[in-house]
Amino acid sequence: MAQPTIPSFADAFAYSFDAWQRSILFLDVMRQRGEQYEEHAAQTAPHVLNYDAELVVDGRTLDRPVNYALVRIVPPEGIVVDTLKRPFVVVDPRAGHGPGIGGFKADSEIGVAMKAGHPCYFIGFLPEPVPGQTIEDIARAEAVFLETVIARHPNADGKPCVIGNCQAGWAVMILASLRPELFGPIIIAGTPLSYWAGVRGQYPMRYSGGLLGGSWLTALTGDLGGGLFDGAWLVQNFENQNPANTLWSKQYNLYSKIDTEPERYLGFERWWGGHVTLNAEEMQFIVDELFVGNKLAAGEIRTSDGTAIDLRNIRSPIVVFCSKGDNITPPQQALDWVLDLYDSVDEIRAYGQTIVYAVHDKIGHLGIFVSAGVARKEHDEFASNIDLIDVLPPGLYEAVLEPASEVAEGRALVAGEWVMRCEARTLDDIRALGGNDIEDEHRFAAAAKLSEVNLALYRTFLQPAVRAMVTPTFAEAMRRTHPLRLQYELFGPSNPFMAWIQAAAEHARENRKPAVAENPFLALQENMSQQIVSGLEAWRRTVEQLSEETFRAIYGSPVLQTALGIDSTSDRPRRPAKSPLHQELVKTRIASLRAEIAEGGLREALARALLFVGKARDGADERGFEAIRRLRRAHPTASQLTLPQFKALLRKQYFILLIDEEAALAAIPKLLPEDLDERHSAFNVLREVLEASGAIAGAAAERMERVERLFGLGSETVPFAARKSARERKTS
């Protein structure tokens, strides 16, 4: 058994000298952070974009002015964008921080989109709202921005792909339900849409509204701010979810890696400390309608003209990206809106919707937007395969990524490091992630009702007095003395006790003598850090458990639920009403499609055959779509179809197959040309596309044989499966 190393005096001296130098350098980074904070706050339009941008539309000039703007991202040197490709529009979240997180690094949502050749635009905002602006005003402004982008790219092969990060995601979804014609595929990353959803024992942030008595505290905070809600309070809510990182790990990581960490730390802090404000009315809408009320997925939000916001109106493919490691927007809050809106995948198809989701195993909330690894993997694949996502038949899919190095067939058709496959899923796959039972729904409904009561009481008895007391000077003092702002100013240039730090830090860098990695005192330091983290984590878990049990006990009380008008005997959660008009439209469309089963030509036959065989594989692979791309480029007649026309063709044939598969297949021979060589050529194209993503085997091979016979080739050639087997033996 090895004896523990006894620290020597030399070890102690080396560590002490190293620790002193690191302390000085740490304070210098804090000084730089304070200076950076003040410089950032002094800018008119502060942001953390890593790219040059040119203003396209200033939202302050619109009929209903807002503090938002549309800018075009200028491609950096060496990046060439294709004006014929659909543009990408990244919408940043206004959740307490300033804009720019979607383009914070070269490896970012903007970076990967431009790398894939797409023009990029960015929708950001100024630190202060325009007086009187509302969430609806912002939605209308964003509609103008998208109209402008579409007008600037009239020859693009599709409508803009819009990326909504976190809070921007629900804003994008609201607009897409009101103006579906403006959107290509929508990517919502880390976006909460079903705010009550979660798993017992996890994700305690959803209990906050109920434990605070509802949204009256939001109204009080807005009144104390003189009509402005300080975004620093939202940032503090995020920090409270992870006290170990907030109180210790973030700073310790900088201190322990002081020679390599400052640049990354300061870059992130530039965004993290860029607090912005919202109009009190904006924040009240967000809390009442979304956070506490959970009204979006239930279809209970209406615009000022009475229009109901129904997410089922969205016609563009929706990509949901979330993570099991995200305690701000867990998978249930990102995905359970699908369960709220639909009873089955067939109902999703009936609305013509395509929903693709991807669930990361461990990345945290901020990592969804700022992690270079996530950008190079998930966001890179979404950007590279956005056209594939756009043409997917309606339904529910999961995006599964496989390392390209492990792909044996069709490797030449893969551009990046990963291969994306969209696999068909059912609602049970989302339910398997966990979620609320009906008793939980009753508890949250009770919390929402109590919130309404408390807000009404506050507005009646306290609000007039608070507003009369608060002056602009008082409101500004409240913002300046917020704890998060003070921590930056404490180490900033306004503190005279920091004057000596810069010179001392320069001396420390010139004479830097870090302790060797084997120094036993470094191991002791690391051990102490781990114990501090463990203690803070234990505290967090205790508080979370107590919060959850308190929420469940209070709002699970039958007496309270009855007093608040909650029907605790109901066994169905809130759902948006089914529209009889939509049901009639579906019936009419089905009748129309039945009449068109025998209409069309070779294109319709190929699309129908492709979908018929592909259904046996329960998904689509990027290699097959890339094969279609290359065939369109190689055959001028095939490229006559634009991407929207190709999408319409596939969707129509997909629905025809769903309605009456046997009749649809029986009609294929009538759609084919008389010339046998043309049929051979068309069948070879079909086979090339299907084989691009791997061998055609099992049920898919049986379907391929049937298609071969429908093409009139089965009786004149060796059956497909046998010919395929023979070709494989010859190759081996």
Side-chain angles (χ1 to χ4, degrees):
M1 181 176 176
Q3 295 296 321
T5 302
I6 299 176
S8 66
F9 176 78
D11 290 331
F13 180 79
Y15 174 79
S16 299
F17 190 77
D18 176 35
W20 168 250
Q21 288 186 324
R22 278 187 283 142
S23 299
I24 297 297
L25 295 174
F26 176 85
L27 286 174
D28 189 56
V29 174
M30 295 296 101
R31 177 192 62 80
Q32 294 176 60
R33 184 181 75 151
E35 290 182 351
Q36 175 180 270
Y37 167 79
E38 294 194 5
E39 291 172 1
H40 193 70
Q43 296 174 5
T44 303
H47 63 80
V48 294
L49 284 173
N50 192 41
Y51 301 93
D52 292 332
E54 60 181 29
L55 180 66
V56 178
V57 180
D58 185 341
R60 294 173 297 178
T61 65
L62 301 177
D63 293 338
R64 290 286 299 172
V66 296
N67 66 331
Y68 278 68
L70 171 72
V71 300
R72 183 185 78 88
I73 301 299
V74 179
E77 187 176 351
I79 297 293
V80 179
V81 299
D82 184 351
T83 56
L84 295 181
K85 286 191 172 185
R86 73 170 78 241
F88 271 58
V89 180
V90 177
V91 187
D92 240 25
R94 188 158 156 250
H97 309 93
I101 198 64
F104 182 54
K105 302 176 181 177
D107 288 320
S108 61
E109 294 164 334
I110 290 175
V112 298
M114 285 196 295
K115 188 180 74 173
H118 296 273
C120 282
Y121 293 82
F122 179 79
I123 296 176
F125 44 86
L126 297 174
E128 302 293 333
V130 173
Q133 77 177 35
T134 65
I135 296 297
E136 185 175 336
D137 292 334
I138 294 170
R140 296 187 188 283
E142 290 177 349
V144 173
F145 296 160
L146 290 180
E147 289 170 347
T148 302
V149 172
I150 292 170
R152 288 168 65 96
H153 297 269
N155 298 318
D157 56 9
K159 295 290 177 65
C161 172
V162 182
I163 302 177
N165 291 321
C166 188
Q167 303 288 4
W170 57 255
V172 165
M173 292 287 279
I174 287 175
L175 178 57
S177 70
L178 295 171
R179 298 288 304 277
E181 77 281 3
L182 298 177
F183 288 81
I186 300 167
I187 301 175
I188 49 176
T191 295
L193 291 173
S194 188
Y195 291 83
W196 294 354
V199 178
R200 187 172 180 180
Q202 302 177 41
Y203 319 127
M205 194 172 184
R206 62 190 180 130
Y207 302 121
S208 299
L211 294 174
L212 294 172
S215 69
W216 73 273
L217 196 56
T218 303
L220 173 62
T221 305
D223 291 336
L224 291 174
L228 293 177
F229 186 93
D230 188 356
W233 292 111
L234 295 175
V235 178
Q236 189 167 54
N237 279 341
F238 295 149
E239 292 200 339
N240 290 342
Q241 303 306 305
N242 192 350
N245 182 69
T246 299
L247 300 176
W248 180 257
S249 297
K250 184 167 67 170
Q251 288 74 22
Y252 174 75
N253 188 55
L254 172 64
Y255 171 76
S256 62
K257 303 174 183 176
I258 197 63
D259 297 309
T260 58
E261 187 68 7
E263 183 179 356
R264 189 208 65 81
Y265 179 87
L266 288 171
F268 180 78
E269 286 294 303
R270 184 164 167 257
W271 174 69
W272 191 249
H275 308 126
V276 300
T277 59
L278 300 84
N279 282 334
E281 183 180 352
E282 294 179 273
M283 194 65 217
Q284 199 66 44
F285 174 92
I286 293 170
V287 175
D288 285 337
E289 304 296 319
L290 303 174
F291 291 172
V292 177
N294 193 35
K295 296 179 180 179
L296 181 57
E300 296 176 3
I301 299 178
R302 292 183 176 272
T303 62
S304 58
D305 62 4
T307 303
I309 296 173
D310 189 342
L311 299 182
R312 293 171 299 189
N313 291 337
I314 298 173
R315 293 293 170 263
S316 304
I318 303 167
V319 180
V320 180
F321 181 35
C322 55
S323 173
K324 295 178 181 177
D326 185 351
N327 64 342
I328 304 297
T329 305
Q332 293 75 20
Q333 290 187 21
L335 285 169
D336 278 12
W337 62 277
V338 180
L339 304 180
D340 294 338
L341 292 176
Y342 303 105
D343 293 324
S344 66
V345 173
D346 283 340
E347 192 173 1
I348 295 176
R349 296 186 182 116
Y351 277 90
Q353 284 201 329
T354 303
I355 302 170
V356 181
Y357 67 89
V359 182
H360 198 283
D361 283 334
K362 59 182 181 180
I363 197 73
H365 184 70
L366 294 177
I368 291 176
F369 322 121
V370 304
S371 169
V374 169
R376 288 194 297 268
K377 185 180 179 183
E378 282 84 359
H379 287 298
D380 194 4
E381 287 302 308
F382 296 152
S384 300
N385 296 289
I386 201 65
D387 290 340
L388 165 63
I389 293 170
D390 197 16
V391 301
L392 280 175
L396 179 66
Y397 303 86
E398 181 177 5
V400 179
L401 305 183
E402 179 185 1
S405 58
E406 299 178 8
V407 170
E409 299 186 61
R411 181 65 181 86
L413 298 171
V414 181
E417 300 176 8
W418 300 85
V419 178
M420 188 175 81
R421 175 175 170 78
C422 295
E423 298 183 355
R425 295 289 185 260
T426 69
L427 298 188
D428 286 337
D429 292 296
I430 295 180
R431 293 189 184 102
L433 295 171
N436 291 343
D437 56 24
I438 192 62
E439 286 78 16
D440 289 325
E441 293 291 315
H442 292 157
R443 291 185 180 95
F444 282 101
K449 284 291 185 182
L450 184 62
S451 175
E452 294 175 6
V453 172
N454 287 341
L455 179 61
L457 291 172
Y458 168 76
R459 285 176 169 166
T460 301
F461 297 107
L462 287 179
Q463 190 173 62
V466 173
R467 288 184 171 179
M469 176 190 72
V470 173
T471 64
T473 302
F474 178 88
E476 180 61 23
M478 286 281 294
R479 283 189 286 275
R480 289 293 300 273
T481 56
H482 190 283
L484 292 190
R485 287 190 171 86
L486 285 178
Q487 70 171 339
Y488 290 92
E489 295 189 3
L490 181 64
F491 294 97
S494 58
N495 184 349
F497 293 101
M498 296 295 293
W500 63 278
I501 293 296
Q502 186 171 5
E506 290 175 0
H507 184 268
R509 290 189 192 94
E510 292 171 0
N511 299 277
R512 184 78 175 101
K513 291 183 180 179
V516 296
E518 295 77 16
N519 190 303
F521 288 97
L522 285 177
L524 178 63
Q525 169 192 293
E526 187 64 29
N527 183 265
M528 289 179 63
S529 174
Q530 291 174 1
Q531 291 193 37
I532 292 172
V533 170
S534 297
L536 290 170
E537 278 292 295
W539 174 45
R540 176 186 62 81
R541 289 191 294 270
T542 300
V543 171
E544 288 179 357
Q545 182 178 0
L546 180 61
S547 299
E548 181 175 65
E549 290 176 355
T550 301
F551 180 91
R552 293 175 65 84
I554 292 174
Y555 293 105
S557 167
V559 175
L560 180 62
Q561 290 185 8
T562 301
L564 293 170
I566 304 300
D567 182 6
S568 57
T569 63
S570 171
D571 60 355
R572 282 186 62 83
R574 291 185 308 168
R575 292 283 184 86
K578 308 292 183 183
S579 169
L581 177 60
H582 177 262
Q583 295 172 6
E584 288 301 317
L585 287 173
V586 170
K587 291 179 181 178
T588 302
R589 179 61 174 151
I590 288 174
S592 173
L593 288 171
R594 284 188 185 279
E596 297 178 57
I597 287 178
E599 294 182 4
L602 181 58
R603 285 174 180 166
E604 286 72 16
L606 277 173
R608 199 174 296 182
L610 176 67
L611 292 166
F612 173 66
V613 178
K615 281 177 67 177
R617 290 177 162 179
D618 283 332
D621 188 296
E622 68 172 271
R623 290 168 290 178
F625 189 72
E626 178 59 25
I628 293 174
R629 272 193 182 129
R630 296 186 182 186
L631 285 167
R632 290 178 74 230
R633 288 195 295 264
H635 300 281
T637 55
S639 63
Q640 290 174 1
L641 279 181
T642 64
L643 186 67
Q645 290 171 333
F646 180 61
K647 175 181 177 178
L649 170 67
L650 284 182
R651 287 200 162 207
K652 182 175 180 179
Q653 298 308 313
Y654 179 76
F655 282 127
I656 284 175
L657 280 169
L658 279 180
I659 292 167
D660 193 336
E661 183 173 277
E662 289 303 316
L665 294 175
I668 285 180
K670 302 174 185 176
L671 307 180
L672 295 171
E674 299 254 343
D675 187 81
L676 191 60
D677 289 337
E678 286 188 54
R679 295 190 182 199
H680 268 295
S681 178
F683 184 79
N684 288 335
V685 167
L686 176 66
R687 183 177 62 204
E688 184 177 342
V689 170
L690 288 166
E691 288 181 343
S693 53
I696 306 173
E702 294 175 4
R703 290 183 174 223
M704 193 66 173
E705 285 185 21
R706 184 173 180 184
V707 169
E708 191 173 22
R709 292 193 295 272
L710 289 170
F711 273 58
L713 309 176
S715 60
E716 301 176 19
T717 62
V718 178
F720 173 79
R723 185 176 67 251
K724 174 71 176 173
S725 177
R727 187 164 62 249
E728 288 174 345
R729 287 196 300 271
K730 183 177 180 181
T731 303
S732 62

